[in-house]
C-alpha cells in the first residue's frame, strides 16, 4: 500500500456549538506510530472518538487504507481492524481478566458477541482459539498472574493494561491508545513502552496520546500537535519539540522538556 493507512481530512466536531475538533488533517503511514499531543481540552480524545466511530463527525472524511469509514458504526470499524484503548479504565465487572480480554476477540471473529453470549455452535468451535489468544494478550501486557482473577480487583493502571490486552486480542491493524501510561508506575510505564515498540515492529499502526512528551518522542515516528481543536504542528518528534508554537502552547515561553519517569500523572 502506498498511501496512509489512516487519513482524516477536514474533521470537525462541536459540542453545544463549540468546536472540540475543527478542521483537523491527520495521516498515519502503515506500520508507523503517530504521537498526538496537546494541552488538556485540545481535542485529542475527541479525534480518537471520531476515528473509532464512538462519535460521528460533523464534517470531514476518514479513510482506512483508502476506504471511507466515517459513516460506519463502531463495530464495523472494529471489524476492519481499528481497536481503541480509551482514556479512563473500563473493564467489565463480574468477569475475570482473561474473560475481559476475550471480549476484544469477539468484536472481530466470525461468531461475534451475540453468538458468543448465546453459546451457539460456531462460538463453541472458536472458543478455545480465542481463549488462547486472550491469555497471550494478558501475558504480553504483564497481567499473566491476574488472568483468573476478577477484573475489578485490578488497580486502575492495570485496568488500563487490561484494556490494551482486550485491544490486542482483536489483532488490530490500527491501534488507538489514549493516555495508556497514565496511572502506571515507572517500571510498568517502561514495560508498556517496550510493548508499543514491539507492536510497531510487528507492523501494527499506532496512534498514541500521552502527556509525557519524552515517551511520545521516543515511540513516535511523527507527532501531531493539537491546540483548541486545531493542528498547530506536525513533524518528526525533534521538529515538533523545537517548534515555537508548540513551546508556547505547552509552557508559555520555555522549551518543551521531557517529563520522563517523574511525569505529572505518576502516582
Ligand atoms: P483532550 O483529550 O485533548 O484533553 P477532549 O477531546 O477530551 O480533549 O475535549 C476537547 C473539548 O471538547 C473540551 O473542551 C471538552 O470539554 C469538550 N468535550 C469533549 N467531549 C465532550 C462531550 N461528550 N460533551 C461535551 N463536551 C465535550
Ligand atoms: Mg483526552
Amino acid at each position: 500500500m502506498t498511501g496512509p493507512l489512516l487519513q482524516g481530512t477536514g474533521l470537525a466536531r462541536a459540542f453545544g456549538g463549540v468546536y472540540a475538533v475543527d478542521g483537523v488533517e491527520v495521516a498515519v503511514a502503515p506500520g508507523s506510530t503517530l504521537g498526538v499531543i496537546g494541552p488538556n481540552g485540545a481535542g485529542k480524545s475527541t479525534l480518537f472518538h471520531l476515528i473509532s466511530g464512538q462519535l460521528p463527525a460533523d464534517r470531514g472524511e476518514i479513510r482506512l487504507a483508502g476506504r471511507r469509514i466515517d459513516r460506519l458504526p463502531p463495530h464495523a470499524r472494529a471489524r476492519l481492524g481499528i481497536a481503541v484503548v480509551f482514556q479512563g479504565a473500563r473493564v467489565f465487572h463480574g468477569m475475570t481478566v482473561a474473560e475481559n480480554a476475550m471480549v476484544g476477540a469477539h468484536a472481530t471473529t466470525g461468531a461475534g458477541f451475540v453468538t458468543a453470549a448465546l453459546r451457539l455452535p460456531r462460538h463453541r468451535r472458536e472458543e478455545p482459539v480465542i481463549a488462547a489468544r486472550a491469555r497471550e494478550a494478558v501475558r504480553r501486557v504483564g497481567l499473566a498472574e491476574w488472568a483468573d482473577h476478577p477484573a475489578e480487583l485490578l488497580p486502575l493502571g492495570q485496568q488500563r493494561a487490561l484494556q490494551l490486552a482486550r485491544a490486542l486480542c482483536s489483532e488490530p491493524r490500527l491501534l488507538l491508545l489514549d493516555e495508556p501510561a497514565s496511572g502506571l508506575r515507572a517500571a510498568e510505564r517502561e514495560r508498556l513502552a517496550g510493548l508499543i515498540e514491539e507492536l510497531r515492529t510487528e507492523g501494527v499502526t499506532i496512534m498514541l496520546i500521552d502527556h509525557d512528551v519524552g515517551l511520545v518522542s521516543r515511540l513516535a515516528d511523527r507527532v501531531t500537535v493539537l491546540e483548541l481543536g486545531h493542528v498547530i504542528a506536525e513533524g518528526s518528534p525533534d521538529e515538533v519539540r523545537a517548534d515555537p508554537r508548540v513551546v508556547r502552547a505547552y509552557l508559555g515561553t520555555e522549551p518543551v522538556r521531557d517529563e520522563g519517569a517523574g511525569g505529572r500523572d505518576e502516582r
Side-chain angles (χ1 to χ4, degrees), residues 18-29:
V18 179
Y19 278 95
V21 166
D22 191 2
V24 164
E25 310 286 319
V26 67
V28 197

Side-chain angles (χ1 to χ4, degrees), residues 15 18-21 38-47 49 55 87 178-179 209 226:
F15 296 107
V18 179
Y19 278 95
V21 166
N40 278 333
K44 306 181 296 295
S45 294
T46 302
L47 175 64
H49 288 133
L55 283 171
Q87 194 175 6
D178 194 346
E179 302 192 18
I209 298 174
L226 291 180

Side-chain angles (χ1 to χ4, degrees), residues 134-156:
R135 281 188 187 268
E136 170 59 12
V138 164
R139 186 197 61 75
R140 285 191 86 177
V141 303
L143 295 177
E145 66 272 34
W146 286 88
D148 298 309
H149 293 267
E152 65 267 28
L153 297 185
L154 288 175
L156 282 185

Side-chain angles (χ1 to χ4, degrees), residues 173-242:
R173 294 172 79 182
L174 176 66
L175 179 59
L176 309 178
L177 302 173
D178 194 346
E179 302 192 18
S182 83
L184 295 184
R185 285 182 240 276
E188 296 160 350
R189 187 184 289 246
E190 202 41 50
R191 180 191 186 105
L192 175 72
L195 177 55
I196 293 172
E197 276 170 342
E198 217 174 277
L199 292 169
R200 182 185 171 285
T201 309
E202 290 167 16
V204 181
T205 307
I206 297 167
M207 294 178 75
L208 170 67
I209 298 174
D210 207 87
H211 282 297
D212 185 340
V213 177
L215 182 83
V216 171
S217 298
R218 187 177 128 199
L219 298 175
D221 300 283
R222 309 283 295 176
V223 177
T224 290
V225 188
L226 291 180
E227 186 188 29
L228 298 173
H230 299 278
V231 174
I232 60 163
E234 196 280 328
S236 72
D238 286 345
E239 284 165 358
V240 155
R241 288 202 293 184

Side-chain angles (χ1 to χ4, degrees), residues 55-105:
L55 283 171
D58 294 336
R59 290 197 309 275
E61 291 184 7
I62 305 169
R63 289 176 190 274
L64 185 73
R67 171 182 171 182
R68 279 287 289 272
I69 59 163
D70 45 89
R71 299 294 162 96
L72 299 177
H75 65 84
R77 300 191 204 189
R79 278 182 178 247
L80 292 175
I82 299 180
V84 203
V85 174
F86 291 107
Q87 194 175 6
R90 291 182 205 174
V91 301
F92 297 110
H93 289 213
M95 290 167 82
T96 67
V97 165
E99 286 165 350
N100 258 269
M102 285 174 72
V103 173

